[in-house]
Amino acid sequence: MSGLLGLPDAYAGAARSSVRVTVAAAGGFYLFLYGFGETVTATYALFAAVSLGGLSRIPGTGRQRAVVMLRVLPVACLLVVVGTFLAVRTASAVAGMLVIGFALAFVAVGGPRPAGAAPGLQLLYILPSFPPYAPDTLGERLIGTTTGILLLVVAEACLFPERPTVPYRELAARAADIAERCAGELARPPYSLSRAAGDAAGTASQSLRPSRVPEADRPAGPGVRSRALAHTGLAARTLLNRLNRLPAAPDGRTPAEPGLELLRAVARSAADSAALLRGVPGAGAANPAPERAAVAAGRDRPADPEALRRDAALLELADAAIALSTAARLAVRGRDTGAVPPLGRFWYAPMRAPQLWWRRLIGNTGSRSVFFQNAVRISLALAAARVVAGLDTLPHGFWAMLATLSLTRTTLDATRTSIRQALTGTLIGALCTAGILALVGTDTTVYAAVLVPLLLITFTVGPVKGIGWAQAFFAIVVSLVFAQLAPATWELAEVRLLDVVIGSAIGAVFGLLAWPRGAHREVRQSSAALLRSAAETVVATASTIAAGGVRDPADPPRHAALRRTLVLAESAYAQFQAEPRVPAVGAGVRPTDWQAVLLTGHHALWGADRLLVPPPEPRGETPGPVSVPPLDPAEAAALTGLGDRVAGRMLLLAARLESPDEAPAAREDPPDAVPDAAPGASPPAGAPGRYYAAETWLDALLADLGRITDADSAGPRGTP
């Protein structure tokens, strides 16, 4: 396929971006250098556009990127101010590099957009932090920075406008529409789901997977609305999956009326959630219909075990519909929902933005967090490069810093590969630069004429061909830029090569010392830790249900360990999405579905909360403490045995995820490796409804676990 000017699609996208960066960078540079004779302002205008347009990888369409750039403009100016004044001494510059370098890298915990902007902001701080110490030029630096970014904003918004993507809220609304359709079909004869509806449910569910959603539209921020939108997608996928797996009425009988009323309530709630997500006026009022229907179904249970299982599955549907409705209200209205959500599940609902940012930062502090690892590595590497540049006689130390920033990767293998490619590219670029400088000499007219086409080639070829090509062309670009600012000779190419060699060495050392395995290993470890925490929750919940006791809604179970491991697993998965994939090899090997691991953790958490907190009263009042009798010994043994088997399955998968070389996690399990806990086993006679509710939850967890290593199961049934 071909795109812009007949180029292949990969080059066409890079070419459009290259035109935007070139227009902004060259426009600001030429304006100030040749229009006003301001070399400092011209330099900052060019590098401001290059930093956010070339070095940064801000996701989204041009208009979405323009909005992000406008928001970071004050931050960019502040960084220029701080960098200018801290450059007074090497010690202060190094300290600033440590603190600010860490902060800018660690802000990636806020989602794809701040993570994408961080490298460019790093460059805008590095640029003024090098000698000469010239606070008297601060005004020129700020004018250049502001102009370069504003030119880039205009170019992003106006040049080659891209087709808008489908927002995540709309994807969730479409999934809610499908849920309404499925629930409606299940509530009327023949009380089963049509193939078309099942296929639509599977497609809608898959469309909400983060890997299927553009980065800019993923709800990954720490705020209430972003967290709630992520939970909206999760609840919608859970609801669709439960609708697809709803057991048929036993013996072909007409389902009981309370169950049909619950399905109709689920359909109404899903339709209301879809309207709310689309901003329909009047939608999203507190809707107690699913709660009331669920309570009615739960208090009018038949004695038939198969009917009890169906009833328990219906309660799972109601739980997912309630979660979808509550999450949608929080996603649209934030803290001003008009109703108090269940704080155990939506713990973030009453918190303000600073509190949520603080929790996100604290939750990612430590050696297990990939964001923390990368922030430490980058800050140490940049500080070391600044020390070398300040204490030694290294010319153009700025370029050593830039090489360090470019070559500090999240895995040691990637760093080694990048260094080898970068050194090769820089050597070629240095040789080409030496030839150009020797032939042209000090004729700046030639350099000015070739700068624009060279910028276009650099930002078109580099992103597609890799860092070696990018370094080769960028070495030439930088040399020609500085040749226009001051007389240059072929020796400038030699200096450039020396700078990059030193920067590459520093980047490699700190990439090796500071947790070099990256998110590929971390996503395995964090996923294994999540499954172990989920196993503990499963065993504890089954034991608590079997033992009975007092259930106090004012003091719900906390599940602190499971919540924390969920945060770390989600962070590792986010970083894993941005890293090169390691292809699976070997017969019978299937790629691990890491998103299914997260879904299993969420299902374990939400299900445990639901089973251990008393349901609301028929009129919606919050009940007081409730005394729940213990199960009979046979019932308790059956339930705790099933919980132990589910937990054992989780521990088995955790061990395989953590040690893939010993037992590949993606390899299909042999039949005797899976604990025998299939749904439909004969329960003790006369078991109460809460037994079947717990059994249904545990059986659903087994289905979730099966999808972790069954990445090919993308069909409508059994797909999260």
Side-chain angles (χ1 to χ4, degrees):
M1 296 179 66
S2 62
L4 182 69
L5 299 177
L7 295 172
D9 284 345
Y11 285 97
R16 287 190 289 267
S17 177
S18 177
V19 170
R20 299 184 190 108
V21 177
T22 300
V23 167
F29 183 73
Y30 289 153
L31 172 67
F32 289 111
L33 182 62
Y34 295 105
F36 300 103
E38 298 286 345
T39 58
V40 173
T41 311
T43 302
Y44 277 78
L46 183 141
F47 280 104
V50 168
S51 64
L52 291 182
L55 186 59
S56 292
R57 288 293 180 265
I58 301 173
T61 64
R63 293 183 183 275
Q64 289 175 320
R65 290 191 296 270
V67 171
V68 175
M69 292 170 186
L70 278 177
R71 290 177 178 173
V72 303
L73 176 57
V75 179
C77 292
L78 178 62
L79 291 173
V80 171
V81 172
V82 174
T84 297
F85 286 104
L86 289 182
V88 61
R89 293 183 180 87
T90 297
S92 61
V94 171
M97 202 66 68
L98 273 173
V99 175
I100 296 177
F102 177 87
L104 290 176
F106 197 47
V107 79
V109 301
R113 292 180 182 180
L121 294 176
Q122 294 272 19
L123 178 57
L124 287 176
Y125 174 72
I126 291 172
L127 186 60
S129 69
F130 274 85
Y133 173 64
D136 54 306
T137 65
L138 179 59
E140 300 168 47
R141 294 178 176 185
L142 291 176
I143 292 173
T145 300
T146 302
T147 303
I149 294 177
L150 289 179
L151 286 174
L152 184 60
V153 166
V154 174
E156 290 283 1
C158 300
L159 295 180
F160 305 111
E162 297 152 299
R163 180 181 301 175
T165 56
V166 180
Y168 198 81
R169 271 177 57 171
E170 175 59 26
L171 292 175
R174 294 177 184 179
D177 286 336
I178 300 299
E180 178 197 8
R181 173 185 171 186
C182 293
E185 287 191 4
L186 291 169
R188 61 179 180 266
Y191 308 110
S192 62
L193 208 59
S194 66
R195 180 65 184 177
D199 290 343
T203 301
S205 176
Q206 290 294 308
S207 72
L208 291 171
R209 295 184 62 172
S211 58
R212 308 280 179 94
V213 178
E215 276 189 273
D217 295 314
R218 295 173 189 170
V224 169
R225 284 183 169 86
S226 184
R227 290 179 188 267
L229 188 55
H231 280 175
T232 300
L234 181 62
R237 295 173 63 187
T238 302
L239 178 58
L240 290 170
N241 183 47
R242 300 297 176 259
L243 287 165
N244 246 329
R245 293 175 55 85
L246 181 67
D251 301 327
R253 298 195 302 263
T254 300
E257 182 58 31
L260 296 178
E261 177 56 32
L262 187 147
L263 284 169
R264 288 190 284 268
V266 166
R268 291 192 299 270
S269 179
D272 182 71
S273 297
L276 174 63
L277 290 166
R278 294 191 173 105
V280 176
N287 181 12
E291 292 99 326
R292 293 179 181 176
V295 171
R299 295 186 178 182
D300 187 21
R301 291 178 179 272
D304 185 348
E306 293 302 320
L308 285 170
R309 280 200 176 93
R310 175 179 166 86
D311 221 25
L314 287 170
L315 292 180
E316 288 260 334
L317 283 180
D319 181 67
I322 294 167
L324 174 59
S325 176
T326 305
R329 288 201 303 270
L330 286 169
V332 174
R333 298 172 180 167
R335 297 171 65 243
D336 184 23
T337 62
V340 179
L343 298 184
R345 180 176 297 185
F346 301 98
W347 55 268
Y348 52 85
M351 295 185 179
R352 298 186 180 276
Q355 293 175 286
L356 292 172
W357 265 100
W358 178 250
R359 289 182 68 104
R360 174 67 65 88
L361 294 173
I362 291 299
N364 282 277
T365 300
S367 60
R368 292 297 306 274
S369 168
V370 177
F371 293 114
F372 184 82
Q373 296 172 15
N374 289 340
V376 169
R377 294 168 62 198
I378 290 174
S379 62
L380 289 176
L382 292 178
R386 184 63 180 85
V387 168
V388 172
L391 300 181
D392 200 359
T393 57
L394 178 65
H396 297 99
F398 166 74
W399 304 117
M401 294 279 287
L402 180 59
T404 302
L405 180 63
S406 301
L407 296 173
T408 304
R409 299 300 188 209
T410 56
T411 62
L412 179 60
D413 290 340
T415 302
R416 287 172 173 167
T417 303
S418 299
I419 291 172
R420 184 168 57 251
Q421 294 175 349
L423 288 179
T424 302
T426 302
L427 177 61
I428 295 173
L431 293 175
C432 293
T433 299
I436 294 172
L437 295 177
L439 290 174
V440 178
T442 59
D443 188 355
T444 58
T445 303
V446 176
Y447 301 139
V450 300
L451 180 61
V452 169
L454 191 57
L455 281 170
L456 288 171
I457 295 173
T458 299
F459 293 113
T460 299
V461 176
V464 178
K465 300 293 288 185
I467 194 170
W469 289 77
Q471 284 292 117
F473 283 112
F474 199 60
I476 302 173
V477 166
V478 170
S479 300
L480 297 189
V481 167
F482 278 86
Q484 296 177 66
L485 299 174
T489 65
W490 64 269
E491 294 174 342
L492 180 64
E494 178 184 354
V495 171
R496 168 71 171 146
L497 180 61
L498 175 64
D499 297 340
V500 175
V501 168
I502 293 176
S504 301
I506 294 172
V509 169
F510 283 94
L512 173 65
L513 294 181
W515 310 285
R517 294 184 182 273
H520 279 90
R521 180 173 178 81
E522 185 60 32
V523 76
R524 292 186 177 277
Q525 292 179 337
S526 61
S527 296
L530 173 59
L531 289 176
R532 284 193 291 267
S533 295
E536 294 175 4
T537 299
V538 165
V539 171
T541 302
S543 299
T544 302
I545 294 172
V550 177
R551 308 283 190 264
D552 187 357
D555 186 24
R558 305 297 178 184
H559 308 302
L562 182 54
R563 294 184 192 279
R564 176 170 175 78
T565 52
L566 260 175
V567 169
L568 291 177
E570 288 172 338
S571 297
Y573 180 70
Q575 183 68 26
F576 174 77
Q577 288 290 92
E579 286 194 357
R581 296 292 180 266
V582 178
V585 295
V589 174
R590 293 175 177 174
T592 302
D593 187 349
W594 301 109
Q595 180 68 14
V597 178
L598 300 181
L599 287 172
T600 302
H602 278 289
H603 188 196
L605 178 62
W606 289 11
D609 284 345
R610 177 176 57 83
L611 291 169
L612 297 180
V613 176
E617 298 294 336
R619 295 184 179 180
E621 299 92 346
T622 301
V626 176
S627 180
V628 179
L631 297 177
D632 290 342
E635 298 163 359
L639 185 62
T640 55
L642 177 58
D644 289 343
R645 289 191 292 271
V646 174
R649 169 69 166 156
M650 290 178 170
L651 295 176
L652 174 65
L653 280 178
R656 294 184 174 186
L657 291 177
E658 199 164 34
S659 303
D661 295 335
E662 299 176 9
R667 194 174 294 274
E668 208 171 4
D669 292 317
D672 58 350
V674 182
D676 187 10
S682 298
R690 63 183 182 277
Y691 172 91
Y692 289 96
E695 181 200 60
T696 300
W697 170 61
L698 293 172
D699 288 338
L701 281 174
L702 278 178
D704 293 339
L705 291 169
R707 284 188 292 272
I708 293 175
T709 57
D710 190 11
D712 295 333
S713 61
R717 289 196 174 271
T719 302

